[in-house]
Amino acid sequence: MQFLLKHSFKLAIGSLVVLMGIYLYLTYGGSESTPKLPNMQAAPEFTLQDAVNGGDVNFSDSNGKVRLIYFYWANCPDVCPPTTQLMSQVQDKLIADKKFGSDVELMSITFDPVRDTPEAIKKYSEKFHADYTGWKFLRGDEKYTADLIPQFKGMMLFKDEKTNEFSHLDLLILVDRDGNVRKYIDGAHEETMSADSIMKDIESVM
């Protein structure tokens, strides 16, 4: 009893350190440089065509894997090619870590299916040496895709009916194994749009 009374302050401090360690582990996943990301919303279910391999793809079929989703169009004059190139870099890192396809899947969804035919998409994706075993290029009816995009609450899409040109937010959407959106990675912020940064985000929801 005397020992407890004599060392009670030290024991209390020690207990606080342990509790703080548990808190940091639960909050940061064991690493202060890789914070846990909040659940933002449930990702919407969808069914689209696999433009390269054929057949329908249901989003929920990939539950159990982390998903990185990008809405694009192959004729995009500015942001889509560099962001798709970034996804290619992430693909290579995932392959090196032996997580590509098995633990993490990439999805590129066109919102311009009239021009983005399966042939055009295959030609586009080959520029980025896409590995189709874990990177799906999807397409569907233009209205279906246009209706799908706002269901991801961080996304916006505008079409000029006169020119058939699109304006859209340059966002990568990170979805966890359970189908929850955990982050919208904004292309306007260079510090978050690097392969290393995206890999940290992926690891935080593994």
Side-chain angles (χ1 to χ4, degrees):
M1 180 64 70
Q2 289 182 347
F3 176 85
L4 291 175
L5 291 172
K6 184 178 180 180
H7 297 281
S8 59
F9 180 75
K10 292 180 181 179
L11 291 170
I13 293 297
S15 298
L16 285 174
V17 170
V18 171
L19 289 172
M20 182 59 71
I22 294 171
Y23 169 78
L24 289 173
Y25 180 82
L26 292 174
T27 304
Y28 295 101
S31 172
E32 292 187 35
S33 62
T34 309
K36 292 269 187 180
L37 298 173
N39 285 343
M40 302 184 73
Q41 67 170 96
E45 173 67 346
F46 59 77
T47 301
L48 293 165
Q49 176 194 12
D50 186 325
V52 176
N53 296 316
D56 288 341
V57 172
N58 300 309
F59 179 67
S60 57
D61 289 345
S62 59
N63 279 351
K65 301 178 185 179
V66 174
R67 275 71 46 100
L68 191 65
I69 303 170
Y70 184 55
F71 288 92
Y72 79 104
W73 55 307
N75 288 291
C76 178
D78 41 46
V79 296
C80 296
T83 302
T84 304
Q85 178 61 39
L86 178 60
M87 292 181 72
S88 177
Q89 295 169 9
V90 172
Q91 168 193 264
D92 293 344
K93 287 181 178 294
L94 289 169
I95 290 172
D97 288 350
K98 299 185 179 354
K99 294 176 181 176
F100 182 71
S102 57
D103 295 300
V104 184
E105 194 167 279
L106 310 184
M107 294 181 174
S108 291
I109 303 172
T110 179
F111 45 74
D112 186 20
V114 175
R115 285 175 289 190
D116 289 352
T117 62
E119 294 76 18
I121 289 174
K122 191 169 190 303
K123 183 178 179 180
Y124 176 81
S125 62
E126 286 174 348
K127 296 178 183 178
F128 305 98
H129 61 94
D131 183 338
Y132 304 124
T133 62
W135 189 351
K136 289 184 169 58
F137 284 79
L138 306 175
R139 66 189 296 274
D141 176 82
E142 183 174 342
K143 184 180 184 307
Y144 181 89
T145 307
D147 290 342
L148 172 64
I149 286 174
Q151 295 180 54
F152 288 96
K153 293 184 171 47
M155 290 295 300
M156 295 178 68
L157 174 68
F158 304 96
K159 181 179 180 181
D160 187 325
E161 297 296 341
K162 293 181 180 178
T163 64
N164 287 324
E165 299 293 297
F166 294 89
S167 298
H168 65 102
L169 293 179
D170 187 33
L171 296 177
L172 288 166
I173 306 167
L174 181 64
V175 180
D176 67 19
R177 295 177 185 270
D178 298 321
N180 299 306
V181 175
R182 303 294 290 275
K183 188 173 184 179
Y184 293 95
I185 304 170
D186 189 352
H189 300 287
E190 292 183 5
E191 68 275 10
T192 64
M193 283 295 262
S194 71
D196 288 337
S197 175
I198 293 169
M199 285 295 291
K200 287 182 180 179
D201 288 334
I202 290 172
E203 290 163 6
S204 75
V205 300
M206 289 290 289

Short mmCIF file of all heavy atoms in Angstrom, two decimals, residues 1 4 6 11 13 21 35 37 45 48 50 63 74 77 83 85 87-88 103 116 120 122 140 143-144 151 177 195-196:
data_model
loop_
_atom_site.label_atom_id
_atom_site.label_comp_id
_atom_site.label_asym_id
_atom_site.label_seq_id
_atom_site.Cartn_x
_atom_site.Cartn_y
_atom_site.Cartn_z
N MET A 1 0.83 -1.20 0.00
CA MET A 1 0.00 0.00 0.00
C MET A 1 0.87 1.26 0.00
O MET A 1 0.60 2.22 -0.70
CB MET A 1 -0.92 0.01 1.23
CG MET A 1 -1.83 1.24 1.29
SD MET A 1 -3.00 1.33 -0.10
CE MET A 1 -4.08 -0.05 0.34
N LEU A 4 2.21 1.94 -3.38
CA LEU A 4 1.23 2.55 -4.26
C LEU A 4 1.07 4.02 -3.97
O LEU A 4 0.97 4.85 -4.88
CB LEU A 4 -0.12 1.83 -4.13
CG LEU A 4 -0.17 0.39 -4.67
CD1 LEU A 4 -1.53 -0.24 -4.36
CD2 LEU A 4 0.09 0.38 -6.17
N LYS A 6 3.28 6.00 -2.50
CA LYS A 6 4.52 6.69 -2.81
C LYS A 6 4.69 6.93 -4.30
O LYS A 6 5.22 7.96 -4.72
CB LYS A 6 5.71 5.89 -2.26
CG LYS A 6 7.05 6.58 -2.46
CD LYS A 6 8.16 5.75 -1.84
CE LYS A 6 9.52 6.44 -2.03
NZ LYS A 6 10.63 5.65 -1.43
N LEU A 11 2.67 6.17 -11.40
CA LEU A 11 1.77 5.17 -11.97
C LEU A 11 0.67 5.84 -12.81
O LEU A 11 0.29 5.34 -13.87
CB LEU A 11 1.14 4.32 -10.86
CG LEU A 11 2.11 3.37 -10.14
CD1 LEU A 11 1.42 2.76 -8.92
CD2 LEU A 11 2.58 2.27 -11.09
N ILE A 13 0.89 8.75 -14.36
CA ILE A 13 1.52 9.22 -15.60
C ILE A 13 1.73 8.06 -16.56
O ILE A 13 1.48 8.16 -17.77
CB ILE A 13 2.86 9.93 -15.29
CG1 ILE A 13 2.62 11.22 -14.52
CG2 ILE A 13 3.62 10.22 -16.58
CD1 ILE A 13 1.82 12.25 -15.28
N GLY A 21 -1.01 6.05 -25.96
CA GLY A 21 -0.49 5.16 -27.00
C GLY A 21 -1.60 4.39 -27.68
O GLY A 21 -1.62 4.24 -28.91
N PRO A 35 -2.94 8.98 -40.93
CA PRO A 35 -4.15 9.09 -40.11
C PRO A 35 -5.31 8.29 -40.68
O PRO A 35 -5.41 8.09 -41.89
CB PRO A 35 -4.45 10.60 -40.15
CG PRO A 35 -3.80 11.08 -41.39
CD PRO A 35 -2.58 10.24 -41.58
N LEU A 37 -8.97 7.72 -41.95
CA LEU A 37 -9.86 8.60 -42.70
C LEU A 37 -11.30 8.33 -42.28
O LEU A 37 -11.69 7.19 -42.03
CB LEU A 37 -9.70 8.36 -44.20
CG LEU A 37 -8.30 8.64 -44.76
CD1 LEU A 37 -8.22 8.20 -46.22
CD2 LEU A 37 -7.96 10.11 -44.63
N GLU A 45 -24.27 1.81 -55.39
CA GLU A 45 -24.14 0.61 -56.23
C GLU A 45 -24.33 1.00 -57.69
O GLU A 45 -25.11 1.90 -58.03
CB GLU A 45 -25.18 -0.43 -55.82
CG GLU A 45 -25.26 -1.66 -56.71
CD GLU A 45 -24.01 -2.55 -56.66
OE1 GLU A 45 -22.96 -2.12 -56.14
OE2 GLU A 45 -24.09 -3.67 -57.16
N LEU A 48 -21.91 -1.41 -64.70
CA LEU A 48 -21.37 -0.84 -65.93
C LEU A 48 -20.68 -1.93 -66.74
O LEU A 48 -20.37 -3.00 -66.23
CB LEU A 48 -20.39 0.29 -65.60
CG LEU A 48 -20.98 1.55 -64.96
CD1 LEU A 48 -19.88 2.42 -64.37
CD2 LEU A 48 -21.79 2.33 -65.98
N ASP A 50 -17.58 -3.60 -68.69
CA ASP A 50 -16.13 -3.63 -68.77
C ASP A 50 -15.75 -3.40 -70.22
O ASP A 50 -15.96 -4.26 -71.08
CB ASP A 50 -15.61 -4.99 -68.28
CG ASP A 50 -14.09 -5.05 -68.19
OD1 ASP A 50 -13.43 -4.42 -69.03
OD2 ASP A 50 -13.58 -5.73 -67.30
N ASN A 63 -16.48 -5.66 -53.36
CA ASN A 63 -16.40 -5.49 -51.91
C ASN A 63 -15.39 -6.47 -51.33
O ASN A 63 -15.27 -7.60 -51.80
CB ASN A 63 -17.76 -5.69 -51.25
CG ASN A 63 -18.64 -4.46 -51.35
OD1 ASN A 63 -18.20 -3.39 -51.77
ND2 ASN A 63 -19.90 -4.60 -50.98
N ALA A 74 -11.86 10.35 -72.51
CA ALA A 74 -10.59 10.15 -73.20
C ALA A 74 -10.17 11.35 -74.04
O ALA A 74 -8.99 11.51 -74.34
CB ALA A 74 -10.67 8.90 -74.08
N PRO A 77 -8.88 17.53 -72.61
CA PRO A 77 -7.69 18.27 -73.04
C PRO A 77 -6.74 18.66 -71.91
O PRO A 77 -5.68 19.22 -72.18
CB PRO A 77 -8.30 19.52 -73.68
CG PRO A 77 -9.54 19.77 -72.87
CD PRO A 77 -10.06 18.40 -72.51
N THR A 83 -3.94 12.71 -64.51
CA THR A 83 -4.49 11.98 -63.36
C THR A 83 -4.51 10.48 -63.66
O THR A 83 -4.25 9.65 -62.77
CB THR A 83 -5.89 12.49 -63.00
OG1 THR A 83 -5.81 13.89 -62.70
CG2 THR A 83 -6.44 11.76 -61.79
N GLN A 85 -2.33 9.03 -65.57
CA GLN A 85 -0.92 8.67 -65.43
C GLN A 85 -0.56 8.46 -63.96
O GLN A 85 0.19 7.54 -63.62
CB GLN A 85 -0.04 9.77 -66.03
CG GLN A 85 1.46 9.52 -65.89
CD GLN A 85 1.91 8.25 -66.58
OE1 GLN A 85 1.42 7.91 -67.67
NE2 GLN A 85 2.83 7.52 -65.97
N MET A 87 -2.64 7.38 -61.69
CA MET A 87 -3.20 6.07 -61.34
C MET A 87 -2.28 4.95 -61.81
O MET A 87 -2.13 3.92 -61.14
CB MET A 87 -4.59 5.91 -61.96
CG MET A 87 -5.64 6.83 -61.35
SD MET A 87 -7.28 6.59 -62.07
CE MET A 87 -7.77 5.01 -61.38
N SER A 88 -1.64 5.16 -62.96
CA SER A 88 -0.68 4.17 -63.46
C SER A 88 0.49 4.01 -62.50
O SER A 88 0.98 2.90 -62.26
CB SER A 88 -0.19 4.59 -64.85
OG SER A 88 0.78 3.68 -65.33
N ASP A 103 -6.02 -6.95 -53.29
CA ASP A 103 -6.45 -6.11 -52.16
C ASP A 103 -6.97 -4.75 -52.59
O ASP A 103 -7.75 -4.13 -51.88
CB ASP A 103 -5.29 -5.90 -51.19
CG ASP A 103 -4.85 -7.19 -50.52
OD1 ASP A 103 -5.69 -7.81 -49.85
OD2 ASP A 103 -3.69 -7.57 -50.68
N ASP A 116 -16.17 7.51 -76.34
CA ASP A 116 -15.32 6.52 -75.68
C ASP A 116 -15.91 5.12 -75.90
O ASP A 116 -16.50 4.50 -75.01
CB ASP A 116 -15.21 6.82 -74.18
CG ASP A 116 -14.35 8.05 -73.91
OD1 ASP A 116 -13.74 8.56 -74.86
OD2 ASP A 116 -14.33 8.51 -72.75
N ALA A 120 -11.83 2.81 -78.44
CA ALA A 120 -11.16 4.05 -78.05
C ALA A 120 -10.61 3.95 -76.62
O ALA A 120 -9.51 4.43 -76.34
CB ALA A 120 -12.14 5.22 -78.16
N LYS A 122 -9.69 1.18 -75.06
CA LYS A 122 -8.52 0.29 -75.03
C LYS A 122 -7.28 1.03 -75.52
O LYS A 122 -6.20 0.92 -74.93
CB LYS A 122 -8.77 -0.95 -75.89
CG LYS A 122 -7.72 -2.04 -75.71
CD LYS A 122 -8.15 -3.32 -76.37
CE LYS A 122 -7.23 -4.48 -75.97
NZ LYS A 122 -5.83 -4.24 -76.26
N GLY A 140 -20.97 3.05 -69.67
CA GLY A 140 -22.39 2.73 -69.67
C GLY A 140 -23.13 3.79 -70.43
O GLY A 140 -22.53 4.67 -71.07
N LYS A 143 -26.62 8.84 -69.85
CA LYS A 143 -27.53 9.34 -68.81
C LYS A 143 -27.32 8.57 -67.51
O LYS A 143 -27.34 9.17 -66.42
CB LYS A 143 -28.98 9.22 -69.27
CG LYS A 143 -29.97 9.82 -68.25
CD LYS A 143 -31.40 9.70 -68.71
CE LYS A 143 -32.34 10.40 -67.73
NZ LYS A 143 -32.17 9.96 -66.34
N TYR A 144 -27.11 7.27 -67.62
CA TYR A 144 -26.90 6.45 -66.43
C TYR A 144 -25.67 6.95 -65.66
O TYR A 144 -25.70 7.13 -64.44
CB TYR A 144 -26.71 4.98 -66.82
CG TYR A 144 -26.51 4.04 -65.66
CD1 TYR A 144 -27.59 3.44 -65.02
CD2 TYR A 144 -25.23 3.73 -65.19
CE1 TYR A 144 -27.41 2.57 -63.95
CE2 TYR A 144 -25.03 2.87 -64.13
CZ TYR A 144 -26.13 2.29 -63.52
OH TYR A 144 -25.94 1.44 -62.45
N GLN A 151 -24.27 11.00 -57.16
CA GLN A 151 -24.45 10.12 -56.01
C GLN A 151 -23.17 10.00 -55.19
O GLN A 151 -23.21 9.65 -54.01
CB GLN A 151 -24.95 8.75 -56.46
CG GLN A 151 -26.34 8.79 -57.08
CD GLN A 151 -26.81 7.41 -57.52
OE1 GLN A 151 -26.83 6.47 -56.72
NE2 GLN A 151 -27.19 7.29 -58.78
N ARG A 177 -12.92 -1.32 -48.14
CA ARG A 177 -13.33 -2.70 -48.42
C ARG A 177 -14.83 -2.91 -48.22
O ARG A 177 -15.42 -3.80 -48.83
CB ARG A 177 -12.57 -3.66 -47.51
CG ARG A 177 -11.06 -3.71 -47.72
CD ARG A 177 -10.42 -4.64 -46.71
NE ARG A 177 -8.97 -4.66 -46.76
CZ ARG A 177 -8.25 -5.48 -47.52
NH1 ARG A 177 -8.85 -6.34 -48.32
NH2 ARG A 177 -6.92 -5.45 -47.47
N ALA A 195 1.69 9.77 -56.09
CA ALA A 195 1.50 8.33 -55.90
C ALA A 195 1.81 7.93 -54.46
O ALA A 195 1.10 7.09 -53.88
CB ALA A 195 2.38 7.56 -56.88
N ASP A 196 2.83 8.52 -53.86
CA ASP A 196 3.18 8.18 -52.48
C ASP A 196 2.08 8.59 -51.51
O ASP A 196 1.74 7.85 -50.59
CB ASP A 196 4.51 8.85 -52.10
CG ASP A 196 5.71 8.21 -52.78
OD1 ASP A 196 5.60 7.03 -53.18
OD2 ASP A 196 6.73 8.89 -52.92
#
